Amino acid sequence: MDIPFSRFLVFVLFLLSCNRFITTEAYDALDPNGNITIKWDIISWTADGYVATVTIHNFQQYRHIQSPGWQLGWTWLKKEVIWDMVGAQATEQGDCSKFKSNLPHCCKKTPTVVDLLPGTPYNKQFNNCCRGGVINSWAQDPANAISSFQISVGQSGTTNKTVRAPRNVTLKAPGPGYSCGPAKNVAPTKFITTDKLRKTQALMTWNMTCTYSQFLARKTPTCCVSLSSFYNQTIVPCPTCSCGCQNSSLAGTCVDPKIASVVRGTSGKNNLEPLLQCTQHMCPIRVHWHVKTSYKEYWRVKVTITNFNFNMNYTQWNLVAQHPNFDNLTQLFSFNYKPLNPYADINDTAMLWGIKFYNDMLSQAGPLGNVQSELLFRKNPSKFTFDKGWAFPRRIYFNGDNCVMPPPDLYPWLPNAAQNLGTSPFMILLITFLSVLILM
Ligand SMILES: *[C@@H]1O[C@H](CO)[C@@H](O)[C@H](O)[C@H]1NC(C)=O
Ligand SMILES: *[C@@H]1O[C@H](CO)[C@@H](O)[C@H](O)[C@H]1NC(C)=O
Ligand SMILES: *[C@@H]1O[C@H](CO)[C@@H](O)[C@H](O)[C@H]1NC(C)=O
Ligand SMILES: *[C@@H]1O[C@H](CO)[C@@H](O)[C@H](O)[C@H]1NC(C)=O
Ligand SMILES: *[C@@H]1O[C@H](CO)[C@@H](O)[C@H](O)[C@H]1NC(C)=O
Ligand SMILES: *[C@@H]1O[C@H](CO)[C@@H](O)[C@H](O)[C@H]1NC(C)=O
Ligand SMILES: *[C@@H]1O[C@H](CO)[C@@H](O)[C@H](O)[C@H]1NC(C)=O
Ligand SMILES: *[C@@H]1O[C@H](CO)[C@@H](O)[C@H](O)[C@H]1NC(C)=O
Ligand SMILES: *[C@@H]1O[C@H](CO)[C@@H](O)[C@H](O)[C@H]1NC(C)=O
């Protein structure tokens, strides 16, 4: 009786956690304070406006902005124009016909701004600019978690009482997913000069905070998890249709690896539209967790991440995994590691990412489209067990997106754990009842 009941508990916990995943709030349990803050520092007043430094600061532990990069948009409240920009550019000039000579850089009421590309001439560069809109995550590379540019605004007012902050700020990174709050007038930023002997300060500073929601970003998941172990030959695949169904017209198309290169053409650029290899799960990313070996005091896991998308090289990819044994992770091969402690007392969440110039890029689908690592954990005798799927992860995120897990009752079993949850009609009834309760 003991075994079915704990399996049943695991199942209920799973249902509860599912319920947490489909919440629509912009709140991430593993990164509760994560946000992107956009700061406008007015540095000087000009004849008809001001010059400001705009800084996009990614305070998210593991969610980054990858190629083709961020796009920042807003609505001017008055008749502002952008005279000039350094370190970024507006995508459209708009209608500047009111100006006779000396045309502004952009006259649109709702400008959209993008970063410049690497290799921009020096006179158009600014601190932290010109990375094609790529911003790294805070945990992975804080020095590159910033992007900034300078903007000269005209027809805006020239005092702190007459200028108006941009409204309805939108951040695409690169697709949808972020929603930004209104600009707040905050204490002016203080800058320290390079000799560190003097502080200067902005004339006026606005902050706005953008938060991410997987629900806003897209309706379908983008990755799934498969499982296996040395003690059971069963490989538990990703759930069928995790990210879409092969036979559904909505899911778009998938291709056979043999013809993928023909379909893709030779653009050699990341494309937001995936071109998937046909699989039963239809996910661009699969994470495989294999319980490889058990030693007397340690046990070993092999993690493999496979790319099934022919249209994307994932640069600066990262993985977040939750497992109760991460508090005793002893050794890790070929990945970087950082413990994440969203709740100070629980140390069960790890962020893993590739080593620079070695495997920090997960190549497009094909023979090179995977990265692997092995993790060595020290057994804690009071907690450790291979029973009841304990050795498998509780959650996996790839690039900040939650991966679809197989249902816990399918996890590989220890050979002697023969009793099955499904054999008791009473349990089925109880579970059905509870699931209905939870989903209400
Ligand atoms: C944004 O994140 C930073 C760093 O985690 C935090 O200090 C700040 O309070 C957050 N802002 C909001 C509005 O949540
Ligand atoms: C504008 O500047 C004056 C001093 O020049 C200051 O007293 C006031 O608080 C500022 N107002 C705002 C909205 O920043
Ligand atoms: C900002 O968006 C809201 C809601 O979409 C709209 O009502 C408002 O007019 C917009 N503000 C500006 C300045 O465009
Ligand atoms: C404004 O944003 C910056 C980061 O860009 C942050 O350091 C600062 O604390 C923020 N100020 C407020 C009042 O939130
Ligand atoms: C599509 O395939 C899935 C899994 O193979 C199956 O469950 C579903 O019934 C199929 N749908 C249609 C419309 O054929
Ligand atoms: C991915 O990188 C490889 C090698 O650098 C390149 O040949 C390929 O075109 C790239 N694919 C995409 C989709 O960017
Ligand atoms: C969490 O566990 C890891 C691995 O044992 C350890 O390196 C790290 O210091 C721990 N962090 C905390 C806050 O306990
Ligand atoms: C595992 O980690 C916990 C918390 O860091 C520690 O108290 C415990 O002694 C460790 N167990 C072993 C076997 O190292
Ligand atoms: C392996 O695990 C599966 C569940 O995924 C179970 O059906 C099977 O009986 C197990 N095999 C053995 C030899 O216990």
Side-chain angles (χ1 to χ4, degrees):
M1 199 56 218
D2 193 37
I3 293 163
F5 186 67
S6 18
R7 288 201 142 243
F8 157 73
L9 270 183
V10 169
F11 190 69
V12 169
L13 281 175
F14 168 75
L15 283 173
L16 277 170
S17 56
C18 273
N19 202 33
R20 207 147 116 209
F21 294 162
I22 53 177
T23 165
T24 57
E25 279 167 51
Y27 173 78
D28 182 343
L30 298 184
D31 190 8
N33 300 317
N35 65 65
I36 292 185
T37 301
I38 302 168
K39 186 163 65 91
W40 288 58
D41 287 311
I42 297 185
I43 300 298
S44 61
W45 301 113
T46 58
D48 70 337
Y50 61 85
V51 176
T53 298
V54 180
T55 310
I56 304 174
H57 216 133
N58 184 10
F59 287 121
Q60 300 176 107
Q61 295 284 348
Y62 43 78
R63 194 166 286 111
H64 64 274
I65 301 181
Q66 66 175 356
S67 174
W70 56 263
Q71 282 196 350
L72 187 64
W74 64 84
T75 305
W76 291 121
L77 207 61
K78 298 163 72 172
K79 300 244 176 294
E80 289 93 336
V81 294
I82 302 173
W83 281 116
D84 191 22
M85 295 187 84
V86 187
Q89 62 187 349
T91 55
E92 270 186 74
Q93 186 177 31
D95 178 7
C96 292
S97 58
K98 289 211 182 86
F99 295 83
K100 297 285 174 289
S101 57
N102 199 10
L103 292 183
H105 175 77
C106 173
C107 302
K108 280 182 77 85
K109 188 156 182 69
T110 55
T112 300
V113 168
V114 295
D115 194 9
L116 301 175
L117 297 174
T120 295
Y122 281 116
N123 62 349
K124 282 281 165 197
Q125 285 188 20
F126 197 69
N127 300 337
N128 302 308
C129 87
C130 313
R131 302 195 193 109
V134 171
I135 304 185
N136 222 316
S137 70
W138 185 240
Q140 205 163 332
D141 190 358
N144 288 310
I146 305 178
S147 189
S148 54
F149 58 88
Q150 194 178 66
I151 184 169
S152 308
V153 180
Q155 304 189 4
S156 61
T158 55
T159 67
N160 71 3
K161 297 217 165 49
T162 52
V163 285
R164 294 287 173 266
R167 293 288 168 98
N168 291 356
V169 173
T170 57
L171 178 67
K172 292 205 174 127
Y178 287 90
S179 46
C180 302
K184 289 206 188 87
N185 205 343
V186 300
T189 308
K190 295 207 161 82
F191 303 97
I192 299 167
T193 56
T194 39
D195 61 10
K196 298 199 168 68
L197 297 174
R198 181 180 142 77
K199 276 186 194 166
T200 59
Q201 80 178 57
L203 301 171
M204 189 173 189
T205 299
W206 295 310
N207 267 14
M208 29 213 131
T209 306
C210 307
T211 51
Y212 180 84
S213 131
Q214 190 165 353
F215 178 77
L216 272 183
R218 49 185 97 68
K219 304 257 177 317
T220 54
T222 54
C223 70
C224 63
V225 178
S226 58
L227 308 168
S228 61
S229 66
F230 68 86
Y231 53 79
N232 182 324
Q233 291 192 333
T234 314
I235 296 175
V236 181
C238 282
T240 301
C241 300
S242 290
C243 305
C245 291
Q246 266 196 55
N247 54 7
S248 144
S249 54
L250 293 173
T253 50
C254 67
V255 297
D256 191 84
K258 291 189 202 84
I259 61 157
S261 54
V262 183
V263 180
R264 270 201 71 223
T266 50
S267 78
K269 265 200 177 146
N270 284 344
N271 185 333
L272 285 182
E273 276 312 308
L275 179 66
L276 295 180
Q277 180 177 328
C278 295
T279 55
Q280 114 290 358
H281 53 76
M282 289 289 279
C283 293
I285 295 291
R286 182 187 67 200
V287 180
H288 185 76
W289 180 284
H290 175 62
V291 178
K292 192 178 172 189
T293 330
S294 176
Y295 309 101
K296 190 155 171 283
E297 288 181 25
Y298 298 91
W299 61 294
R300 185 187 286 267
V301 168
K302 180 173 181 182
V303 173
T304 309
I305 310 173
T306 310
N307 186 355
F308 291 100
N309 183 356
F310 291 99
N311 268 350
M312 187 70 92
N313 285 327
Y314 292 89
T315 48
Q316 281 130 23
W317 60 267
N318 66 58
L319 195 73
V320 173
Q322 194 180 23
H323 187 282
N325 218 158
F326 270 116
D327 60 352
N328 296 89
L329 179 66
T330 308
Q331 208 179 358
L332 172 106
F333 302 88
S334 30
F335 285 176
N336 286 306
Y337 159 75
K338 186 181 174 192
L340 294 181
N341 301 313
Y343 311 99
D345 48 337
I346 313 172
N347 188 5
D348 66 351
T349 307
M351 178 170 157
L352 310 173
W353 68 96
I355 291 168
K356 211 172 170 114
F357 305 125
Y358 173 57
N359 58 3
D360 61 337
M361 180 170 99
L362 172 54
S363 298
Q364 64 188 62
L368 299 175
N370 66 81
V371 289
Q372 305 181 346
S373 168
E374 294 200 359
L375 288 71
L376 189 68
F377 294 102
R378 190 185 174 92
K379 291 180 182 172
N380 181 340
S382 66
K383 284 193 285 180
F384 180 82
T385 172
F386 281 127
D387 205 3
K388 295 160 200 149
W390 189 86
F392 297 106
R394 305 303 183 261
R395 318 184 203 208
I396 300 267
Y397 284 8
F398 179 81
N399 280 353
D401 282 343
N402 191 11
C403 301
V404 179
M405 304 277 297
D409 58 332
L410 292 184
Y411 283 16
W413 297 1
L414 274 177
N416 60 359
Q419 276 172 293
N420 191 334
L421 177 83
T423 53
S424 155
F426 170 70
M427 279 297 173
I428 295 177
L429 256 179
L430 201 63
I431 289 163
T432 320
F433 174 70
L434 272 166
S435 341
V436 168
L437 260 186
I438 289 160
L439 293 174
M440 281 193 316

